[in-house]
């Protein structure tokens, strides 16, 4: 059981009220969430400091223009924000932020993390130029019923970690049938309870997990097994890998949007990975042909070896890929067994060290023989 | 013309143990497969997965990483990190079905000249049998 507040309003209005009250009562100085950019549905992350402006905020809007964990890391790279800020993020965005904090790329202090039991987001390509009103309705209908909308990002359709780790407040969304009339916000941490002390709404104590949430988890697990099975049929072995990455332009967009790829000087963007006349000659001698752009498989395998163990499966990489390579599915598929080996869930716990940055003396004893 | 496959193996040896072990094997005049090209590194933990991957993608048929035995690292714990990174990379190759057996990690101390020659000869034999690495000689990669 955990403390919760119940607001007798529809979910979107209730969250607006919560944010507005936090801002008006001066508990926080800013709200970091999605902002409406036009009437057709374009959104961008934005920091609100004025309570009246909040009417343009869309905290639960089912699109992720950028993994906000990455943005919060930019905000707090040189230490905590000076004033408390509430950030409304998706569970995978929080996990990405935690992973970055572990890598000393951000600071959690002074940030109130608000999240929801996540119904997933749509690929950004869907957003382009179309009116999103009917899609919004369709989205909330599927979230209520716990149906998995086939148009969602592939990583969202198979996400089992839709209950936020480390959020101070959790908005109940998935599987809540009466979300049009009332909204429950769980207070998971001491920090959450303190901030919510004089928020309008009635105080209760409720269980977040169990029942419906378990059902959704099972549904998502089934979906995951299905997607991975399909993937294994097609994408294993060198031949399939070559086929899959053949259209890769080498734009490195996937690594630029990846919240875990935080290196400012990436080896794959450096001169060491560019071809010189001399290397062209030796490549021809070695391989009997020259693939352009060079080193795509190297880039993807290398990036995988660096970050797949911390992959939060947000799906940004697939979303930005201009040639529709299912990058996120590959990285999730490879990441899953790696995370299993180290019993690691990226972003679950700030105290858990990144697997490649720690060790146990007694492990992998059979290796090295 | 001799068309028998001669493998091209890259060996990353740590300066303090395995490289010294290789030296000992040499000065003891032990028989060592010539197909191994040695790269000396200061510690097995110096080896970024990119080094191993670029070897495999640009010409190597096998990669051997060797360092001090666990507990004996010159820098106290470098080889523990190396062991984890190696396990990570190997798992990735395993999942993607990219011949993980072309990678080997071995602990060879400075006094183990004999072990060095055995490890190298066995690995070279294994790679000879496995044949040319399809990642290395592929114009599509």
């Amino acid at each position: 059981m955990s403390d919760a507040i119940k607001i007798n309003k529809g979910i979107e209005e209730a969250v607006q009220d919560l944010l507005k009250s936090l801002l008006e009562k001066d508990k926080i100085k800013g709200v970091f969430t999605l902002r409406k950019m036009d009437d057709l549905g374009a959104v961008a992350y934005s920091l609100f400091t004025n309570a009246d402006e909040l009417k343009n905020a869309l905290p639960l809007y089912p699109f992720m223009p950028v993994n906000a964990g990455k943005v919060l890391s930019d905000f707090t790279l040189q230490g905590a924000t000076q004033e408390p800020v509430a950030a409304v993020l998706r569970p995978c965005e929080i996990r990405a932020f935690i992973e970055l904090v572990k890598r000393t790329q951000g600071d959690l202090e002074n940030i109130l993390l608000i999240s929801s039991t996540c119904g997933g987001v749509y690929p950004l390509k869907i957003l382009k130029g179309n009116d999103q009103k009917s899609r919004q309705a369709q989205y909330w209908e599927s979230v209520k019923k716990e149906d998995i909308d086939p148009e969602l990002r592939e990583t969202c359709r198979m996400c089992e970690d839709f209950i936020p780790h480390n959020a101070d407040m959790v908005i109940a969304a998935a599987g809540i049938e009466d979300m049009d009339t009332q909204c429950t916000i769980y207070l998971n941490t001491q920090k959450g309870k303190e901030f919510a002390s004089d928020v309008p709404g009635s105080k209760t104590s409720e269980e977040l997990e169990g029942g419906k949430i378990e059902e959704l988890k099972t549904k998502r697990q089934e979906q995951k097994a299905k997607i991975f099975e399909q993937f294994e049929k097609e994408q294993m072995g060198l031949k399939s890998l070559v086929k899959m990455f053949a259209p890769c332009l080498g734009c490195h967009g996937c690594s630029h949007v990846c919240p875990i790829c935080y290196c400012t000087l990436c080896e794959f963007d450096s001169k060491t990975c560019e071809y010189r006349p001399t290397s062209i000659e030796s490549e021809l001698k070695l391989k009997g042909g020259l693939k352009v752009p060079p080193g795509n498989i190297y880039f993807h395998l290398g990036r995988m070896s660096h970050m797949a163990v911390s992959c939060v499966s947000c799906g940004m990489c697939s979303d930005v890929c201009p040639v529709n390579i299912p990058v996120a599915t590959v990285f999730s598929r490879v990441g899953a067994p790696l995370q299993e080996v180290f019993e690691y869930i990226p972003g679950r716990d700030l105290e858990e060290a990144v697997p490649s940055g720690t060790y146990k003396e007694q492990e992998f004893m059979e290796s090295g023989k | 013309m001799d068309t028998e496959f001669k493998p091209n193996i890259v060996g990353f040896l740590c300066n303090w143990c395995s490289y010294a072990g290789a030296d000992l094997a040499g000065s003891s005049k032990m028989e060592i497969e010539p197909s191994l090209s040695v790269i000396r590194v200061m510690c097995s933990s110096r080896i970024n997965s990119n080094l191993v991957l670029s070897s495999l993608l640009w010409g190597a048929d096998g990669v051997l990483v060797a360092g001090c035995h666990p507990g004996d690292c010159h820098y106290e714990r470098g080889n523990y990190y190396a062991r984890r990174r190696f396990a990570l990379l190997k798992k990735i190759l395993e999942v993607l079905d990219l011949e993980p057996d072309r990678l080997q990690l071995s602990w060879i101390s400075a006094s183990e000249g004999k072990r060095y020659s055995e490890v190298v000869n066995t690995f070279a034999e294994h790679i000879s049998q496995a044949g040319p690495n399809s990642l290395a000689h592929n114009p599509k990669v």
Side-chain angles (χ1 to χ4, degrees):
Chain A
M1 296 293 246
S2 75
D3 287 4
I5 31 178
K6 244 191 173 106
I7 303 172
N8 288 326
K9 278 182 182 171
I11 185 164
E12 292 185 74
E13 211 181 324
V15 175
Q16 283 268 359
D17 274 12
L18 168 76
L19 296 173
K20 206 168 173 190
S21 130
L22 286 170
L23 205 51
E24 276 173 350
K25 290 190 176 132
D26 230 17
K27 294 233 160 186
I28 51 170
K29 293 287 184 190
V31 175
F32 177 75
T33 187
L34 291 170
R35 174 194 279 268
K36 188 157 62 172
M37 300 304 276
D38 68 3
D39 287 335
L40 286 177
V43 286
Y45 270 109
S46 187
L47 187 62
F48 294 82
T49 49
N50 184 339
D52 296 332
E53 272 285 296
L54 273 176
K55 60 180 184 294
N56 294 318
L58 291 169
L60 299 170
Y61 197 65
F63 286 94
M64 188 190 292
V66 55
N67 186 308
K70 203 177 163 75
V71 188
L72 280 190
S73 147
D74 290 343
F75 279 2
T76 58
L77 191 56
Q78 292 183 328
T81 50
Q82 288 184 349
E83 307 282 359
V85 170
V88 190
L89 309 188
R90 303 253 159 208
C92 56
E93 293 176 306
I94 294 189
R95 293 199 293 130
F97 185 47
I98 299 285
E99 283 296 301
L100 285 163
V101 173
K102 279 183 196 175
R103 291 163 168 82
T104 64
Q105 300 297 307
D107 200 316
L108 271 166
E109 217 188 299
N110 262 349
I111 293 196
L112 177 73
L113 292 170
I114 304 176
S115 191
S116 57
T117 50
C118 180
V121 297
Y122 293 109
L124 292 170
K125 279 157 193 149
I126 281 186
L127 198 60
K128 212 172 128 196
N130 302 318
D131 192 341
Q132 297 301 321
K133 279 204 185 86
S134 59
R135 187 175 309 278
Q136 282 276 80
Q138 167 198 333
Y139 176 77
W140 286 114
E141 212 43 50
S142 72
V143 172
K144 269 184 220 168
K145 289 200 206 119
E146 296 194 336
D147 286 338
I148 299 172
D149 188 337
E151 281 190 287
L152 289 177
R153 278 185 182 171
E154 191 158 57
T155 43
C156 294
R157 297 204 301 268
M158 60 177 181
C159 172
E160 295 172 48
D161 291 295
F162 56 92
I163 303 164
H165 296 281
N166 300 301
D168 299 306
M169 298 183 189
V170 175
I171 303 152
I176 308 293
E177 281 180 35
D178 55 358
M179 63 164 71
D180 294 330
T181 51
Q182 63 166 321
C183 172
T184 313
I185 296 161
Y186 293 88
L187 309 172
N188 276 359
T189 61
Q190 196 49 40
K191 196 168 167 185
K193 281 173 204 161
E194 280 162 22
F195 275 94
S197 57
D198 52 359
V199 158
S202 53
K203 307 245 172 331
T204 62
S205 188
E206 286 194 29
E207 195 68 66
L208 172 64
E209 298 199 37
K212 291 226 118 186
I213 292 278
E214 285 305 314
E215 272 172 41
L216 181 55
K217 211 176 226 173
T218 318
K219 270 189 200 172
R220 297 265 186 96
Q221 274 162 348
E222 281 164 10
Q223 193 78 19
K224 190 179 209 166
K226 223 193 256 170
I227 291 170
F228 279 176
E229 195 186 320
Q230 187 60 31
F231 178 79
E232 275 151 38
K233 241 187 251 163
E234 290 173 6
Q235 316 283 16
M236 293 295 155
L238 178 60
K239 230 177 154 176
S240 311
L241 211 64
V242 166
K243 188 175 138 200
M244 176 164 53
F245 290 120
C248 177
L249 305 172
C251 70
H252 297 186
C254 47
S255 96
H256 295 158
V257 296
C258 178
I260 309 298
C261 271
Y262 71 93
C263 298
T264 39
L265 288 173
C266 173
E267 185 174 337
F268 299 109
D269 287 337
S270 73
K271 291 278 177 201
T272 52
C273 288
E274 276 176 21
Y275 271 35
R276 305 272 159 82
T278 44
S279 50
I280 288 173
E281 215 169 285
S282 63
E283 178 104 358
L284 276 174
K285 219 176 269 172
L286 180 72
K287 300 189 171 177
L290 185 72
K291 186 191 163 292
V292 179
N296 285 346
I297 301 239
Y298 176 47
F299 164 64
H300 289 288
L301 287 181
R303 201 168 86 81
M304 220 175 257
S305 72
H306 287 172
M307 57 60 65
V309 76
S310 286
C311 174
V312 295
S313 300
C314 62
M316 282 306 302
C317 46
S318 283
D319 234 42
V320 298
C321 183
V323 288
N324 296 329
I325 297 169
V327 194
T329 316
V330 191
F331 278 67
S332 300
R333 175 64 189 87
V334 174
L338 295 181
Q339 292 163 12
E340 211 171 284
V341 169
F342 297 103
E343 292 170 1
Y344 187 71
I345 294 178
R348 170 176 55 186
D349 185 351
L350 191 59
E351 301 305 319
E352 262 176 330
V354 180
S356 50
T358 184
Y359 65 89
K360 284 183 195 147
E361 281 185 23
Q362 305 289 321
E363 63 177 0
F364 307 113
M365 299 305 276
E366 71 297 338
S367 67
K369 291 223 170 98
Chain B
M1 208 177 100
D2 186 11
T3 52
E4 198 197 335
F5 168 60
K6 288 206 179 69
N8 186 3
I9 302 172
V10 175
F12 294 101
L13 310 185
C14 100
N15 179 56
W16 304 100
C17 289
S18 308
Y19 193 83
D23 249 357
L24 180 62
S27 54
S28 314
K29 301 207 180 327
M30 285 171 186
E31 225 167 87
I32 307 163
E33 241 326 290
S35 53
L36 184 93
S37 314
V38 173
I39 298 174
R40 176 158 66 162
V41 289
M42 286 313 280
C43 179
S44 50
S45 63
R46 159 69 181 87
I47 299 154
N48 185 324
S49 52
N50 285 4
L51 292 175
V52 178
L53 281 171
S54 53
S55 305
L56 284 175
L57 288 163
W58 281 283
D61 298 302
V63 175
L64 172 71
V65 175
C68 311
H69 285 272
D72 290 342
C73 177
H74 183 79
Y75 305 101
E76 287 181 23
R77 48 188 193 277
N79 50 4
Y80 290 126
Y81 292 115
R83 187 170 63 183
R84 274 215 160 184
R85 287 172 202 163
F86 187 87
L88 265 170
L89 185 58
K90 194 144 181 159
K91 190 85 196 170
I92 290 177
L93 297 186
E94 219 176 280
V95 175
L96 293 174
D97 202 6
L98 294 176
E99 305 188 78
D101 287 346
R102 291 187 186 274
L103 290 190
Q104 186 170 319
L105 175 70
S106 291
W107 309 129
I108 302 165
S109 81
S111 60
E112 291 178 323
K114 187 157 179 294
R115 176 169 157 75
Y116 174 79
S117 73
E118 281 166 8
V119 164
V120 173
N121 293 344
T122 320
F123 187 51
E125 175 59 31
H126 166 70
I127 297 297
S128 294
Q129 277 174 11
N133 173 17
S134 47
L135 274 172
H137 305 283
N138 194 333
K140 293 178 189 164
V141 173

